[in-house]
Amino acid sequence: SSLSAWTAQQFDPALNWDDVQWIKDRWGGKLILKGIQDVEDARLAVKSGADALIVSNHGGRQLDGAQSSIEALPAIVSEVGSQIEVHMDGGIRSGQDVLKAYALGARGTYIGRAFLYGLGAMGEAGVAKALQIIHNELDLTMAFCGRTQITQVDRSILLPGTFPTA
């Protein structure tokens, strides 16, 4: 119960989309919003002045059964990808996952769990090793797809029916 009370205290129900611009004005730097899961929120993120957004369901920890980030990604990219940079978080465990997210329109991916495993196993060297493994997997997967540059990657590398559509 103490965890749920603490969690409830972390959320301010008075926050709204106008607050994003207020924060950005005071921050003065780039502002990236994380936790966008649907097209309407993506539109509001653009309207609020955010510089980028991260499609994320926070690892599914916030709402059991929530749509996965990779499932939400195509519709969001289709709607706002020409207006704002779209990144993705959640489920990235390999270079193949990075490539699939990029092919579906993400221009950045965030990797947590693999790095935590590396950190737990070997400290800083383990994090570096995890990054090296994912980078090598990405290079190899791109080669298997006949691509030598990430900018050459699009949906054509994916088998029809194996990815969500907008």
Side-chain angles (χ1 to χ4, degrees), residues 37 94 111:
Q37 274 290 177
S94 70
I111 304 165

Side-chain angles (χ1 to χ4, degrees), residues 15-164:
L15 287 175
N16 62 63
W17 287 100
D18 292 332
D19 294 326
V20 174
Q21 186 63 52
W22 181 86
I23 292 167
K24 184 176 177 177
D25 290 344
R26 276 143 191 81
W27 167 246
K30 298 279 186 181
L31 183 66
I32 301 173
L33 297 180
K34 179 181 178 187
I36 305 300
Q37 274 290 177
D38 63 37
V39 169
E40 180 59 25
D41 281 347
R43 282 191 214 110
L44 290 168
V46 170
K47 186 177 174 185
S48 74
D51 296 292
L53 63 85
I54 304 172
V55 177
S56 174
N57 69 1
H58 306 291
R61 294 183 306 275
Q62 306 308 319
L63 182 61
D64 190 30
Q67 182 182 37
S68 71
S69 298
I70 198 78
E71 289 173 327
L73 180 64
I76 291 171
V77 168
S78 177
E79 184 67 25
V80 301
S82 64
Q83 303 166 62
I84 192 170
E85 193 163 303
V86 178
H87 299 185
M88 196 196 87
D89 170 277
I92 303 293
R93 306 283 186 269
S94 70
Q96 288 182 11
D97 295 331
V98 172
L99 190 68
K100 185 173 184 178
Y102 193 92
L104 292 174
R107 291 302 169 253
T109 57
Y110 296 79
I111 304 165
R113 193 164 298 173
F115 290 160
L116 289 176
Y117 291 157
L119 181 65
M122 298 170 51
E124 184 178 340
V127 174
K129 183 68 173 172
L131 183 57
Q132 178 187 25
I133 290 168
I134 291 170
H135 186 265
N136 290 343
E137 289 172 344
L138 176 59
D139 283 347
L140 184 60
T141 306
M142 284 176 41
F144 286 152
C145 295
R147 305 300 192 273
T148 57
Q149 300 292 321
I150 194 74
T151 56
Q152 298 169 332
V153 172
D154 59 23
R155 285 186 186 199
S156 69
I157 68 159
L158 303 173
L159 292 173
T162 64
F163 60 91

